[in-house]
Amino acid sequence: MTDSYIIVTGASGSMGKAACRNLVRKGEKVIMACRSVEKAEKAREEILAGEGLGDACLEIKPLDLCSFASVRAFASALGDTKVKALFNNAGTMPRRYGLTSDGYERACQVNFLSPLLLSALLKGNLTPEAQIVNMVSLTCRLVGTDTLLTERGGKDYGQLSTYARTKRALLLCGLEFSARSGIRVNFSDPGIVNSSMISLDRWFDPLADVLFRPFCKSPEKGVQSALLALNYNGSGKLFTSSGMKDLPRSYSRDKDKAALLLDKAMECAGFSL
Ligand SMILES: NC(=O)c1ccc[n+]([C@@H]2O[C@H](COP(=O)([O-])OP(=O)(O)OC[C@H]3O[C@@H](n4cnc5c(N)ncnc54)[C@H](OP(=O)(O)O)[C@@H]3O)[C@@H](O)[C@H]2O)c1
């Protein structure tokens, strides 16, 4: 066992939990970064109940990505803990428009601003060979790059379209973050996975549960692409169920927009690189 940790955000959720289980099985030391410690404790117990995992190193630390103060508190509680990988897995797709206490639309802060802030704050903890894996989505390809993302109000909000824009922003700014910081960053797109994320809080959810959910991947299957990414020693690649891919050209065409968006994210969340 090495003395450095892998941090998994949203570790009490479906794919987060599956990621932690796989990582501790391989002997990794893992920090579960979760907004609900109670939910995280249940998830931890479940994982450690697995065969031969009783003495695995699986710690819980509170992290609410809706709050920049919580992200800062999480990073400073790490002290000089060495981190070999950060898996920015947590995500949200709120049914309705709403603001966080920092004044940003919730999906924008949870899926985009806070993962970048966390990545930047952990710079001093990351080992030289460390990397960051950002969980993105196939929906990234269905929208354009929105350089006004952090300024959008309620009239521009769409549950799926805003979610997709935040994931596209995370991907593009992840590339730009890597170029500026020298930290390796890769991306994982799990496909469509049977989790609470695919409930849209609409009248047709029960119907979708019967007709659609059974055909989605299990969280265990969905997270395999992220686990591949966490094992990769290069940077800037997209991992899907069919393995490692180069990113589509449309992303490199948006490099200037990515630079602008990252500057805005740095200003909103208050970090530098
Ligand atoms: N399911 C899919 O089809 C699919 C497809 C593409 C990408 N993804 C992405 O995969 C990732 C994992 O999703 P999942 O499918 O495993 O869904 P999930 O079970 O709902 O997991 C989402 C996780 O994010 C956490 N989270 C939400 N808001 C947070 C906040 N403010 N602070 C900290 N953590 C927060 C949740 O915390 P709680 O445990 O407290 O609820 C949960 O652990 C997400 O980024 C999602 O966008 C999912």
Side-chain angles (χ1 to χ4, degrees), residues 45-195:
E45 270 172 36
E46 249 180 69
I47 295 169
L48 295 186
E51 210 184 319
L53 294 181
D55 56 0
C57 179
L58 188 57
E59 295 179 15
I60 296 171
K61 291 202 188 294
L63 172 71
D64 182 354
L65 297 165
C66 269
S67 153
F68 294 143
S70 172
V71 178
R72 290 182 184 282
F74 173 86
S76 73
L78 285 178
D80 55 8
T81 304
K82 286 193 201 131
V83 176
K84 66 193 285 192
L86 166 64
F87 178 23
N88 280 317
N89 162 70
T92 190
M93 187 165 57
R95 167 78 177 93
R96 293 185 199 291
Y97 178 79
L99 296 178
T100 65
S101 55
D102 294 302
Y104 295 98
E105 188 284 313
R106 284 174 292 168
C108 178
Q109 186 157 343
V110 171
N111 299 348
F112 169 55
L113 295 173
S114 286
L116 289 172
L117 171 63
L118 180 60
S119 305
L121 294 175
L122 293 191
K123 253 170 74 183
N125 296 83
L126 296 176
T127 58
E129 71 288 357
Q131 73 145 325
I132 295 169
V133 173
N134 289 339
M135 186 68 113
V136 295
S137 154
L138 50 81
T139 60
C140 291
R141 294 190 69 176
L142 309 178
V143 289
T145 303
D146 183 6
T147 52
L148 297 176
L149 185 63
T150 56
E151 291 135 64
R152 297 271 179 212
K155 71 172 174 33
D156 298 318
Y157 186 78
Q159 185 178 20
L160 268 168
S161 57
T162 300
Y163 170 80
R165 288 190 187 108
T166 61
K167 290 290 188 182
R168 187 175 176 101
L170 178 66
L171 194 155
L172 279 162
C173 288
L175 289 172
E176 185 63 21
F177 176 98
S178 180
R180 291 190 200 178
S181 65
I183 298 167
R184 296 190 296 116
V185 181
N186 289 292
F187 308 92
S188 156
D189 166 4
I192 300 176
V193 176
N194 185 357
S195 76

Side-chain angles (χ1 to χ4, degrees), residues 11-30:
S12 50
S14 308
M15 280 190 271
K17 197 161 51 167
C20 292
R21 183 178 291 116
N22 277 273
L23 292 169
V24 292
R25 256 193 220 134
K26 288 198 301 185
E28 301 289 0
K29 294 165 82 169
V30 176

